[in-house]
Amino acid sequence: MKKIFLILLLLLTGKNFGQDTIIQKSNPIVYGELLFGFGGSFNKYNGYIYGGSLGYQIKKNLFTIRYTVNPENKYKAATAGLVGVPVFYSRYKNKEIGLLYGRRFVKEGRSLSFAAGISTNELEYRYRHEGSEIQSTIKHYYGMAYELNIKWFKHRKERYRIYAMFHVGKPTAFGRTIGLRLTGNISKHSYLGFGITYGFGLHKHY
């Protein structure tokens, strides 16, 4: 009887242990980011760059969809009273939607990733002849988007902080990230940019 009881106890304990192992799943790795920096076309203009992206990681495989805008940065002097005020304007503006695949490596509270993929692009050129209204021409083309990222984020579960000071809720994997990105596109109108990224999400398995 004692042997039967011990066998049943082991079976029940083993079953419960197996269920706990299955239930305790790690969080997914998914995050969104904003980008702002400087960049420009190799053959047309220089300017600034901004946009957003969404990343999803499976093992070390990284899938990213991004939207990037790269306008020309030019200015001319305008007079306001006796003071000359610079007025910024753009003749060229390149918009890109890219779907990228790459690899991402995580170590404690930082990560390094690189990715490349296809993109669809729209280049707008604005111009005005003397005495006429502003006109524009738009060209659509495809390219190969690429990027290299380094990011820093919290390395363990913590309570979320409002304004980096006030703790709220329970310890969570959700948090902020800040990083640097080298980004570009190889196409008919290739460009290269460098900027700072800032985002929120789940950045590693906690």
Side-chain angles (χ1 to χ4, degrees):
M1 189 68 180
K2 290 182 179 180
K3 290 183 179 180
I4 296 174
F5 176 76
L6 288 173
I7 292 171
L8 290 174
L9 182 62
L10 288 172
L11 289 174
L12 290 173
T13 304
K15 183 178 180 181
N16 290 333
F17 178 78
Q19 288 178 345
D20 291 341
T21 303
I22 293 172
I23 290 172
Q24 293 176 356
K25 294 181 179 179
S26 179
N27 60 273
I29 299 177
V30 57
Y31 53 86
E33 293 178 321
L34 296 176
L35 166 71
F36 186 80
F38 300 93
S41 169
F42 291 123
N43 57 355
K44 285 188 177 294
Y45 62 88
N46 293 313
Y48 56 98
I49 190 168
Y50 64 90
S53 63
L54 181 65
Y56 178 65
Q57 182 176 345
I58 302 175
K59 295 183 179 180
K60 288 185 172 60
N61 301 301
L62 178 63
F63 303 90
T64 305
I65 182 170
R66 78 182 193 190
Y67 175 70
T68 307
V69 182
N70 180 209
E72 181 183 29
N73 186 13
K74 295 183 72 68
Y75 71 92
K76 58 183 177 181
T79 304
L82 300 177
V83 181
V85 179
V87 177
F88 292 89
Y89 68 97
S90 296
R91 293 180 303 168
Y92 294 95
K93 179 183 287 187
N94 185 47
K95 300 177 182 178
E96 173 207 75
I97 298 176
L99 183 62
L100 293 75
Y101 166 77
R103 303 280 284 178
R104 182 170 181 262
F105 304 92
V106 178
K107 185 176 181 180
E108 296 182 350
R110 64 182 182 274
S111 68
L112 175 67
S113 66
F114 54 89
I118 59 173
S119 68
T120 175
N121 304 268
E122 176 185 290
L123 179 66
E124 180 183 9
Y125 172 57
R126 304 180 67 191
Y127 59 93
R128 178 168 59 186
H129 296 296
E130 294 183 3
S132 65
E133 296 182 354
I134 295 177
Q135 303 179 33
S136 64
T137 60
I138 297 177
K139 296 181 180 179
H140 296 274
Y141 58 96
Y142 295 98
M144 186 186 80
Y146 60 89
E147 65 182 45
L148 175 66
N149 293 275
I150 182 170
K151 299 182 180 62
W152 291 268
F153 44 84
K154 64 182 186 182
H155 64 277
R156 63 177 181 271
K157 281 188 177 182
E158 295 177 342
R159 296 170 64 192
Y160 188 77
R161 294 186 179 184
I162 300 177
Y163 301 116
M165 293 189 298
F166 306 103
H167 291 86
V168 295
K170 297 180 179 180
T172 176
F174 183 83
R176 301 179 182 89
T177 181
I178 188 167
L180 301 173
R181 176 179 298 174
L182 179 69
T183 183
N185 190 292
I186 300 174
S187 61
K188 185 186 297 185
H189 303 286
S190 299
Y191 75 85
L192 180 67
F194 179 78
I196 297 174
T197 60
Y198 183 79
F200 294 88
L202 309 172
H203 304 107
K204 73 171 186 177
H205 293 303
Y206 288 89

